[in-house]
């Protein structure tokens, strides 16, 4: 009996070993490898394109627009493909396409870096132009495959692995976000050091080699997770229902035949009808094949609008219409205000820590207050922090100058026939040449006494941005889990694909806003517009919360009820 007791209680070492071989840990490990490779590539490809095109942002801007446009128009199609195919096939195909695309891009970039001078002289430089087009096209394919991979793993597999345990699902979502936060900082840092002390060619080779090795390991991890979670093999969908209906009617006809009974006319008609429907689905006409993506696009957006969590998802998308983040725009503005690169790197690290704190706050608040109230509290926390950003616009040192037209720079350039400044949504460290010139001019004009005053505004700005990351990531996790729990299994892919499209649309709009008003004097207006969109997004979420909980959304916190994923969250109100 003692031996049996020892077997039932393996101890710390046994529990740790069991955890390391669990499907949950294998998913974390696979996601870490995938995210690390993604972050390295997204960071490096921007550097490569700028380096190739003579320190110009043109290729980077084109790449950013192509990526945003592709996900915007193909998000629903990608999600529909995820829904209609077996889980393992979708994950493996996305993994292979993504990594092979990055490897091919790395090889092409290495060839261009090594033989750029020769390629420029061949066919009047058209060979080099073709290489640029190939790199942008294949890199875009890699991003689309990465989008499909994110939908199937982070929106579908994770729900199945968590099972009916909503607390486990919340913990897994939070852990995934922590991995994202860490890789956002560490992966670009690693590849940046390699490119700094090596060369772009070495950087391309390293990324290509990493993706080759990572692809093999991730493929194995996906297979192990699939083996350890039998529920992943079961996927409901319209195609499965049609197939089951066909089999059922065939069995009815066979049963009548085996009983030496003449099959009824109804049975024949039903069987013929089902077979005809299935055959029609198998062999669509040429016109139907050509119009299918457009119909999928339309059906996806209609289905998204009809979801019970529509207002919550739309609210999350509105949070992408902001300059209050550590992207190229805010970084460029900080440089014009006298902040050094080392200070910005410290601020980025603080932002990552703040984001991790947001994931911790999410898990705690969800247990204490329930999922919907967690989003409400997170929204209030984010808006409260962004008040500092609003105050910074009117503090000493702010570049806001209402006497300068936000469109003055654009109108002048247009009349003179010059090209407009372009900024891409992809790179995290670049800013326009105009801003670089402003950096040199502004830093030379700052005296020691003025520098202290000038940093008041930008300090408040970044204090608000960093503090708001707690509420932002907690809110993001809330909406993510609401989508996971309330969207039916057969529509998870297409609904989350449309959600990605909405996010890209608002992100694209915020870059268009900056292109229209690129002057640092107009940045204060961009801050106010950004806070307005964030506030509008949270108002939309408050509308969703009020529809589901009524006035009880403002009540004190109470534990979350024990309901299974997919159950409507409005039952949460009954336990207050």
């Amino acid at each position: 009996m003692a031996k049996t007791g020892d077997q039932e209680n393996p101890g710390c070492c046994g529990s740790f070993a069991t955890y390391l071989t669990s499907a949950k840990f294998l998913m974390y490990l696979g996601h870490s490898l995938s995210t690390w490779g993604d972050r390295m590539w997204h960071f490096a490809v921007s550097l490569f394109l700028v380096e190739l095109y003579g320190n110009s942002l043109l290729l980077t801007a084109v790449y950013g627009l192509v990526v945003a446009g592709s996900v915007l128009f193909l998000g629903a199609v990608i999600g529909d493909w995820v829904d209609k195919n077996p889980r393992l096939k979708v994950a493996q195909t996305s993994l292979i396409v993504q990594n092979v695309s990055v490897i091919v891009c790395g090889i092409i970039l290495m060839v261009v870096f090594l033989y750029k001078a020769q390629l420029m002289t061949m066919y009047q430089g058209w060979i080099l132009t073709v290489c640029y087009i190939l790199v942008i096209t294949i890199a875009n394919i890699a991003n689309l495959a990465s989008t499909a991979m994110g939908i199937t793993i982070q929106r579908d597999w994770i729900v199945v692995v968590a099972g009916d345990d909503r607390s486990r699902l919340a913990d897994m979502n939070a852990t995934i976000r922590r991995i994202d936060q860490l890789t956002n900082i560490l992966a670009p840092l690693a590849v940046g050091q390699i490119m700094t002390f090596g060369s772009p060619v070495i950087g391309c080779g390293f990324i290509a080699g990493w993706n080759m090795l990572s692809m093999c390991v991730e493929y194995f991890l996906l297979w192990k997770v699939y083996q350890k979670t039998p529920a992943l093999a079961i996927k409901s969908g319209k195609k499965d229902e049609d197939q089951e209906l066909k089999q059922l009617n065939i069995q009815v006809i066979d049963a009548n035949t085996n009983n030496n009974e003449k099959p009824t006319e109804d049975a024949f008609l039903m069987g013929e009808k089902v077979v005809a429907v299935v055959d029609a689905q198998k062999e669509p006409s040429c016109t139907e094949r050509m119009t299918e993506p457009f119909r999928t696009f339309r059906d996806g957006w209609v289905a998204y609008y009809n979801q019970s969590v529509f207002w919550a998802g739309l609210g999350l998308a509105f949070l992408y219409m902001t300059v209050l983040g550590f992207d190229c725009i805010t970084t460029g503005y900080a440089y014009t205000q006298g902040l050094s690169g080392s200070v910005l790197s410290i601020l980025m690290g603080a932002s990552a820590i703040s984001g991790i704190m947001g994931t911790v706050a999410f898990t705690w608040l969800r247990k204490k207050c329930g999922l919907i109230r967690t989003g409400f509290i997170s929204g209030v926390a984010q808006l409260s922090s962004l008040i500092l950003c609003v105050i910074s616009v009117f503090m000493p040192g702010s570049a806001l100058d209402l006497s300068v037209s936000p469109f003055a720079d654009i109108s002048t350039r247009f009349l003179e026939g010059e090209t407009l400044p372009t900024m891409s949504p992809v790179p995290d460290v670049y800013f326009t040449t105009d801003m670089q010139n402003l950096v040199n001019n502004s830093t030379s004009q700052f005296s020691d006494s003025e520098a202290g005053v000038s940093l008041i505004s930008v300090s408040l700005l970044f204090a608000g941005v960093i503090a708001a990351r707690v509420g932002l990531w907690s809110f993001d996790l809330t909406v993510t889990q609401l989508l996971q729990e309330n969207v039916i299994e057969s529509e998870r892919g297409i609904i989350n694909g449309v959600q990605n499209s909405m996010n890209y649309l608002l992100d694209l709009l915020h870059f268009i806003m900056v292109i229209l008003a690129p002057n640092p004097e107009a940045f204060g207006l961009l801050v106010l517009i950004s806070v307005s969109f964030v506030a509008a997004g949270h108002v939309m979420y408050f509308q969703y919360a009020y529809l589901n909980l009524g006035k009880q959304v403002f009540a004190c916190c109470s534990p979350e009820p024990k309901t299974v994923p997919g159950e409507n969250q409005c039952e949460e109100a009954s336990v207050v």
Side-chain angles (χ1 to χ4, degrees):
M1 295 298 293
K3 185 176 181 180
T4 303
D6 293 339
Q7 291 177 349
E8 293 178 353
N9 301 289
C12 295
C13 294
S15 300
F16 184 68
T18 302
Y19 176 75
L20 293 180
T21 57
S22 65
K24 182 169 69 172
F25 177 78
L26 295 178
M27 280 193 67
Y28 294 157
L29 183 58
H31 182 73
S32 299
L33 293 173
S34 177
T35 307
W36 186 277
D38 280 350
R39 297 299 181 267
M40 285 199 306
W41 171 246
H42 286 307
F43 176 79
V45 70
S46 304
L47 302 180
F48 294 149
L49 293 175
V50 171
E51 183 74 19
L52 283 176
Y53 208 69
N55 294 324
S56 170
L57 289 174
L58 178 61
L59 285 182
T60 306
V62 171
Y63 170 65
L65 291 175
V66 169
V67 166
S70 298
V71 178
L72 175 60
F73 291 107
L74 297 178
V77 178
I78 293 173
D80 185 63
W81 175 74
V82 171
D83 286 332
K84 290 182 177 180
N85 290 275
R87 288 189 172 98
L88 186 61
K89 176 184 176 181
V90 170
Q92 291 177 339
T93 302
S94 303
L95 175 67
I96 293 174
V97 171
Q98 176 190 0
N99 286 274
V100 170
S101 299
V102 173
I103 293 170
V104 172
C105 274
I107 295 173
I108 295 176
L109 287 170
M110 290 176 67
V111 172
V112 173
F113 277 122
L114 290 173
Y115 304 103
K116 183 178 180 181
Q118 293 88 331
L119 292 174
M120 291 180 66
T121 60
M122 296 175 63
Y123 298 97
Q124 299 180 344
W126 280 105
I127 298 296
L128 186 60
T129 302
V130 170
C131 290
Y132 293 155
I133 295 174
L134 283 176
V135 168
I136 292 176
T137 303
I138 299 174
N140 183 48
I141 293 174
N143 184 74
L144 293 176
S146 176
T147 300
M149 189 72 174
I151 291 174
T152 189
I153 298 298
Q154 299 182 42
R155 300 295 187 268
D156 185 29
W157 280 47
I158 191 173
V159 179
V160 179
V161 172
D164 294 339
D165 192 339
R166 292 169 59 185
S167 296
R168 187 184 185 194
L169 177 61
D171 291 338
M172 292 182 70
N173 284 328
T175 303
I176 291 293
R177 284 296 182 274
R178 290 168 195 148
I179 293 172
D180 292 340
Q181 290 293 315
L182 291 174
T183 52
N184 276 337
I185 298 298
L186 298 179
L189 180 63
V191 73
Q193 296 301 314
I194 293 172
M195 295 175 62
T196 300
F197 296 101
S199 66
V201 177
I202 295 176
C204 291
F206 176 79
I207 292 176
W210 172 273
N211 279 270
M212 175 65 74
L213 179 62
S214 176
M215 178 177 62
C216 299
V217 177
E218 288 179 60
Y219 194 94
F220 172 76
L221 292 174
L222 285 174
W223 174 246
K224 294 299 294 182
V225 172
Y226 188 80
Q227 282 185 321
K228 291 178 176 293
T229 313
L232 289 172
I234 304 172
K235 188 173 186 180
S236 63
K238 187 176 184 301
K239 183 183 296 185
D240 297 334
E241 294 172 359
D242 291 339
Q243 189 67 23
E244 290 175 1
L245 183 60
K246 176 184 175 182
Q247 294 294 333
L248 177 62
N249 285 280
I250 291 175
Q251 290 173 6
V252 170
I253 296 173
D254 290 343
N256 292 331
T257 304
N258 293 335
N259 293 331
N260 296 323
E261 297 179 3
K262 184 178 178 180
T264 63
E265 184 179 356
D266 292 340
F268 271 122
L269 290 176
M270 185 177 294
E272 289 174 0
K273 182 178 179 181
V274 173
V275 172
V277 171
V278 175
D279 290 340
Q281 291 178 348
K282 288 182 179 179
E283 298 179 1
S285 64
C286 182
T287 303
E288 290 176 341
R289 289 178 179 176
M290 293 179 63
T291 59
E292 183 179 2
F294 300 99
R295 286 185 281 108
T296 302
F297 178 84
R298 179 202 62 194
D299 295 342
W301 284 84
V302 171
Y304 179 78
Y305 175 77
N306 291 327
Q307 294 296 314
S308 62
V309 291
F310 166 74
W311 287 111
L314 188 61
L316 176 63
F318 264 61
L319 268 59
Y320 282 76
M321 178 65 175
T322 176
V323 297
L324 302 175
F326 284 90
D327 57 4
C328 53
I329 296 171
T330 309
T331 304
Y333 175 76
Y335 270 101
T336 67
Q337 299 303 296
L339 293 186
S340 64
S342 59
V343 172
L344 281 173
S345 63
I346 295 173
L347 293 177
M348 291 181 68
S351 174
I353 295 173
S354 179
I356 293 174
M357 291 174 60
T359 64
V360 176
F362 164 75
T363 55
W364 184 82
L365 285 173
R366 194 203 65 84
K367 292 178 181 178
K368 296 292 183 180
C369 305
L371 187 59
I372 295 181
R373 291 190 190 84
T374 297
F376 178 83
I377 296 171
S378 300
V380 172
Q382 184 183 9
L383 288 174
S384 301
S385 301
L386 292 181
I387 293 176
L388 293 176
C389 299
V390 176
I391 295 174
S392 71
V393 174
F394 306 99
M395 293 300 290
S398 173
L400 178 65
D401 188 354
L402 297 179
S403 63
V404 178
S405 173
F407 311 105
D409 187 61
I410 286 185
S411 59
T412 302
R413 288 171 178 258
F414 179 77
L415 293 174
E416 295 177 357
E418 298 182 14
T419 57
L420 297 180
T422 55
M423 303 185 73
S424 165
V426 176
D428 295 328
V429 294
Y430 285 114
F431 43 95
T432 61
T433 305
D434 294 338
M435 285 189 173
Q436 288 179 332
N437 295 332
L438 285 170
V439 171
N440 298 330
N441 295 334
S442 60
T443 52
S444 62
Q445 295 172 359
F446 285 152
S447 64
D448 294 338
S449 59
E450 292 172 337
V453 176
S454 66
L455 293 180
I456 295 177
S457 175
V458 72
S459 298
L460 285 174
L461 174 69
F462 279 96
V465 171
I466 292 173
R469 309 301 275 187
V470 177
L472 171 64
W473 285 109
S474 180
F475 181 78
D476 176 84
L477 284 168
T478 299
V479 178
T480 296
Q481 186 154 343
L482 285 172
L483 288 169
Q484 291 170 335
E485 294 183 358
N486 291 276
V487 177
I488 62 175
E489 182 179 347
S490 60
E491 292 185 347
R492 282 177 190 159
I494 193 168
I495 297 303
N496 283 283
V498 174
Q499 181 66 51
N500 284 345
S501 297
M502 284 293 301
N503 296 345
Y504 268 89
L505 174 61
L506 272 297
D507 190 51
L508 186 61
L509 289 177
H510 108 267
F511 279 96
I512 294 175
M513 177 179 65
V514 176
I515 291 175
L516 294 176
N519 296 321
E521 291 83 1
F523 189 80
L525 291 177
L526 301 185
V527 170
L528 298 179
I529 294 174
S530 298
V531 174
S532 300
F533 269 87
V534 172
H538 287 300
V539 168
M540 294 175 187
Y541 181 84
F542 297 161
Q543 168 73 6
Y544 164 78
Y546 188 82
L547 290 175
N548 283 268
L549 297 182
K551 296 181 180 180
Q552 297 182 22
V553 70
F554 305 104
C556 59
C557 295
S558 61
E560 191 174 63
K562 300 292 184 180
T563 56
V564 298
E567 192 168 348
N568 196 299
Q569 296 300 310
C570 62
E571 292 186 8
E572 188 175 337
S574 63
V575 299
V576 178

